[in-house]
Amino acid sequence: MKRFTHSDFWYRFSRNKLAVAGSVVVVSLFVVSMLAPWISPYDPGDINLQMVLVPPSAAHPLGTDQLGRDVLSRMIWGSRISLKVGFVAVGIAVVIGAILGAMAGYYGRWIDAVVMRFVDVMLCFPSFFLILAVIAFLEPSIWNIMIVIGVTGWMGITRLVRADFVSLREREFVQAARCIGANDFRIIFVHILPNAMASILVAATLGVAGAILTESALSFLGIGVQPPTPSWGNILTAGKDNIDIAWWLSLFPGLAILITVLGFNLLGEGIRDSLDPRLRQ
Amino acid sequence: MIAYIVKRILFMVPLLIGITIISFVVIHLAPGSPTDLQTDLNPRVSAEMKARMQALYDLDKPLYQQYFIWVKKLSVMDLGTSFSPDRRPVIDKIMERLPITIIINVLSLVLIIVVALPIGVLSAVHQDSWFDKITGVFVFIGFAMPTFWLALLLMILFGIYLGWLPISGIRSLNYEYLTPIAAMIDLGKHLILPVLLSAFGGLAGFSRYMRANMLEVIRQDYITTARAKGLSERAVIFKHALRNALLPVITILGLSVPGLIGGSVIFETIFAIPGMGQLFYMSTMSRDYPVIMGILVIGAVLTLIGNLIADVSYALADPRIRVS
């Protein structure tokens, strides 16, 4: 078997137009959110009651909301929320999923049975129900949202990691590691886990997209990121409240969510196809 | 076949137990016991409510006893009474709202099958044609679409600018004065957007899945055999390929049940449909814990039932499953 090299990956990735488009979207989003204090034309919290619900114009390219705040500025700051929630939530899901999946796949037997039944049970709950129920008990805040999305979203990663571990645990390099006296902890984290990183990376990229969608839906329903902190979801709530008079409040934040999620999805699929073209669907 | 069904139902028992344990953990998630948290820190819950929580979940007893008492009540469908001023039994509140939620979800499933199945088959049969490419783009956008946003846009378009469809509730104000046929049409008009939107997410995934399945089946040897013996392309695709490609689809439909039920929270809230999802949303906002717990358990049990129906129909359709 030919050894997989990084230049193979970059060659395939750079020739995949959709994947490149996805990474452009993701990178621009990072740049925008990092430069938010400098590029947003107004302060996102600046209330101006003389300029309430003004349609898009030269002064306010995306219009203003029901308190006269500039929608473009709020969306620029909102990108920080989306990225933060996406990455932290997926980070939590990856840690839980990797540990449980590694244990189930490596040790097998009853640990495997218990972990996988746990996964089955968690998958029985409509995830939105579980998230809502937990948030009803905690206060809705950005940190609680991240934790809840992460804690209810690790099952897919567990299954992936377990499958990788089951197929890798009997391989020669694992036996060799065992022969030279490596303990289980070392074998799992130093020898096997790096081989499962490819599938984790792909699942995580797609997971960020899912987490951003969930956060925006929760914020839209008023149980996510709370105003006055701007998030794409809670600008849309204002859009619904003013649905018959202010279309711009509904149109632009949703478009931003769509493009962002599309970007992460394209990037994730691009990484998968470039890592292993055989997986291509 | 009966042995298979019995086995399958027995397999549900540990899952049911798991569901009750996780729901129970959720009740006890709040730091400290749910009651002191609410009276001390949360002005929305009064001392009287504390006493009712105490009685409902037997919070003065040890944890394992609380669990068994709760499960015992659950097994006779006793979910307690709502914290809202009407104080009605939770089970009644849920049951009167369940039918509309189930109707919308079943209609969405039907719509998904009717639309996505032909799309998937056609794009597989004509792989890389313009039809395949266009549907591919739609599928990709469908995966990334925040459907609640699409709901807003369609409400603006059809409800406000064109004025073709109502955008809230399931009945018009003059519903009681309509003839039965007009009433049906009225209900249908109210359901078009919610059903369309709750099906939307599934459409993308399902047509993509159907396409992948069909592509795999078309490459099998028995399809080559069918072609080699001179069958028409139509017979090959619809008689030999489609039947086999349809099998795994049953499972996917079963797996899509939790997503549909979960989505009902969003759509029923946006369109003000008096279903279980809206009840769940309102209970979350008012912290009506007995209702939240009740719907959480019932939502999970509905998923289990959906999966059971899917597995049994798979076994009915494919003898290989029930023999092995």
Side-chain angles (χ1 to χ4, degrees):
Chain A
M1 197 176 111
K2 187 175 163 289
R3 202 179 142 77
F4 179 80
T5 61
H6 286 275
S7 60
D8 285 346
F9 173 82
W10 288 114
Y11 175 72
R12 285 197 286 256
F13 190 87
S14 60
R15 283 173 51 110
N16 183 339
K17 283 184 205 132
L18 289 175
V20 173
S23 27
V24 169
V25 169
V26 171
V27 170
S28 339
L29 195 67
F30 268 103
V31 172
V32 165
S33 71
M34 267 188 298
L35 298 181
W38 296 280
I39 59 172
S40 71
Y42 298 84
D43 183 302
D46 249 354
I47 295 174
N48 181 352
L49 294 177
Q50 256 104 54
M51 295 288 280
V52 169
L53 294 174
V54 174
S57 62
H60 297 280
L62 303 185
T64 63
D65 68 2
Q66 74 283 12
L67 295 174
R69 296 172 296 194
D70 181 54
V71 173
L72 177 63
S73 306
R74 291 185 72 72
M75 280 176 57
I76 290 173
W77 283 84
S79 67
R80 291 190 160 191
I81 300 286
S82 294
L83 284 180
K84 217 191 275 179
V85 172
F87 277 88
V88 175
V90 167
I92 294 171
V94 165
V95 170
I96 301 176
I99 292 176
L100 287 181
M103 282 178 21
Y106 184 76
Y107 292 107
R109 294 200 286 210
W110 68 268
I111 296 183
D112 186 27
V114 170
V115 169
M116 293 330 278
R117 284 304 80 74
F118 186 30
V119 168
D120 289 342
V121 170
M122 286 294 286
L123 286 174
C124 280
F125 289 99
S127 62
F128 217 77
F129 276 25
L130 205 54
I131 291 173
L132 245 65
V134 175
I135 287 177
F137 286 88
L138 308 169
E139 284 295 328
S141 74
I142 176 165
W143 290 105
N144 283 338
I145 297 294
M146 290 172 182
I147 295 170
V148 173
I149 296 177
V151 167
T152 53
W154 49 269
M155 290 82 81
I157 292 176
T158 305
R159 284 189 166 169
L160 281 176
V161 173
R162 173 187 175 271
D164 279 350
F165 268 72
V166 167
S167 71
L168 291 171
R169 71 176 171 207
E170 304 299 337
R171 294 270 280 273
E172 286 91 344
F173 70 91
V174 176
Q175 284 171 8
R178 207 171 279 140
C179 287
I180 59 169
N183 60 20
D184 284 353
F185 185 84
R186 195 180 160 78
I187 292 176
I188 290 176
F189 288 101
V190 178
H191 294 280
I192 307 186
L193 197 59
N195 291 290
M197 272 310 177
S199 43
I200 293 179
L201 181 67
V202 173
T205 313
L206 299 175
V208 171
I212 290 176
L213 267 182
T214 308
E215 180 275 321
S216 62
L218 288 171
S219 300
F220 173 68
L221 291 177
I223 38 190
V225 177
Q226 298 295 307
T229 309
S231 98
W232 294 342
N234 67 28
I235 303 174
L236 282 172
T237 316
K240 182 178 189 289
D241 294 341
N242 302 293
I243 189 166
D244 40 358
I245 42 176
W247 55 268
W248 56 94
L249 279 181
S250 295
L251 182 66
F252 299 119
L255 210 54
I257 300 170
L258 175 65
I259 293 172
T260 303
V261 173
L262 202 58
F264 275 102
N265 280 347
L266 290 172
L267 180 63
E269 300 218 344
I271 295 175
R272 183 185 60 205
D273 294 346
S274 311
L275 281 171
D276 186 354
R278 280 169 305 172
L279 291 178
R280 188 171 199 143
Q281 288 176 335
Chain B
M1 188 63 209
I2 289 172
Y4 173 81
I5 295 176
V6 170
K7 213 166 79 187
R8 188 60 191 67
I9 289 176
L10 285 180
F11 178 72
M12 279 169 63
V13 174
L15 290 183
L16 264 176
I17 296 172
I19 288 171
T20 58
I21 292 177
I22 290 179
S23 307
F24 185 75
V25 169
V26 171
I27 311 178
H28 290 267
L29 249 175
S33 109
T35 52
D36 24 276
L37 176 86
Q38 280 137 33
T39 39
D40 297 345
L41 300 178
N42 186 349
R44 278 185 278 186
V45 182
S46 66
E48 185 239 343
M49 225 152 245
K50 175 178 172 173
R52 285 171 63 191
M53 281 288 277
Q54 192 88 294
L56 184 59
Y57 297 122
D58 301 282
L59 292 170
D60 48 343
K61 300 201 174 69
L63 217 53
Y64 70 96
Q65 278 188 19
Q66 289 178 32
Y67 173 72
F68 285 114
I69 294 172
W70 181 67
V71 168
K72 216 163 120 185
K73 283 184 181 166
L74 203 63
S75 61
V76 291
M77 301 292 257
D78 176 8
L79 299 171
T81 53
S82 164
F83 280 0
S84 67
D86 62 12
R87 295 193 177 194
R88 294 177 51 214
V90 170
I91 191 75
D92 295 356
K93 286 188 93 159
I94 296 176
M95 282 307 164
E96 72 188 17
R97 282 163 167 268
L98 199 51
I100 185 75
T101 301
I102 291 183
I103 288 174
I104 292 179
N105 283 322
V106 169
L107 287 177
S108 312
L109 265 182
V110 172
L111 187 70
I112 291 174
I113 297 173
V114 170
V115 176
L117 206 143
I119 290 181
V121 172
L122 278 177
S123 43
V125 174
H126 304 287
Q127 197 186 359
D128 295 328
S129 66
W130 60 268
F131 178 80
D132 185 29
K133 286 189 177 128
I134 290 176
T135 51
V137 171
F138 270 111
V139 163
F140 236 95
I141 294 176
F143 274 130
M145 181 69 80
T147 35
F148 60 94
W149 174 60
L150 189 63
L152 276 186
L153 295 186
L154 292 184
M155 280 162 89
I156 294 178
L157 179 65
F158 290 109
I160 291 161
Y161 282 97
L162 297 173
W164 291 350
L165 295 170
I167 57 172
S168 116
I170 51 168
R171 279 167 193 179
S172 300
L173 291 171
N174 60 351
Y175 185 80
E176 279 160 37
Y177 306 105
L178 296 175
T179 60
I181 294 172
M184 280 296 285
I185 294 173
D186 182 58
L187 183 67
K189 268 181 145 177
H190 281 87
L191 290 185
I192 290 178
L193 284 181
V195 169
L196 195 72
L197 285 156
S198 93
F200 192 84
L203 281 177
F206 193 77
S207 57
R208 177 100 158 178
Y209 185 78
M210 193 63 219
R211 175 179 179 272
N213 248 342
M214 198 69 186
L215 280 177
E216 203 178 306
V217 170
I218 288 177
R219 295 197 186 112
Q220 299 291 319
D221 288 345
Y222 57 80
I223 297 298
T224 315
T225 310
R227 288 214 174 100
K229 71 179 183 184
L231 288 180
S232 70
E233 191 60 20
R234 176 179 290 268
V236 172
I237 297 299
F238 289 101
K239 258 183 124 171
H240 295 247
L242 186 58
R243 280 195 186 181
N244 286 290
L246 273 178
L247 282 174
V249 164
I250 301 173
T251 315
I252 292 296
L253 283 180
L255 290 178
S256 66
V257 171
L260 281 173
I261 298 178
S264 63
V265 174
I266 298 175
F267 300 116
E268 290 180 6
T269 307
I270 297 179
F271 291 103
I273 291 168
M276 193 172 78
Q278 193 201 33
L279 177 67
F280 195 43
Y281 174 72
M282 296 190 310
S283 311
T284 308
M285 295 306 266
S286 61
R287 308 203 160 204
D288 194 341
Y289 294 130
V291 179
I292 295 173
M293 297 318 304
I295 297 184
L296 191 61
V297 175
I298 288 182
V301 171
L302 281 179
T303 307
L304 263 190
I305 295 173
N307 288 344
L308 176 73
I309 295 175
D311 281 1
V312 170
S313 16
Y314 199 151
L316 280 173
D318 188 350
R320 285 170 299 184
I321 299 294
R322 51 180 193 263
V323 173
S324 63

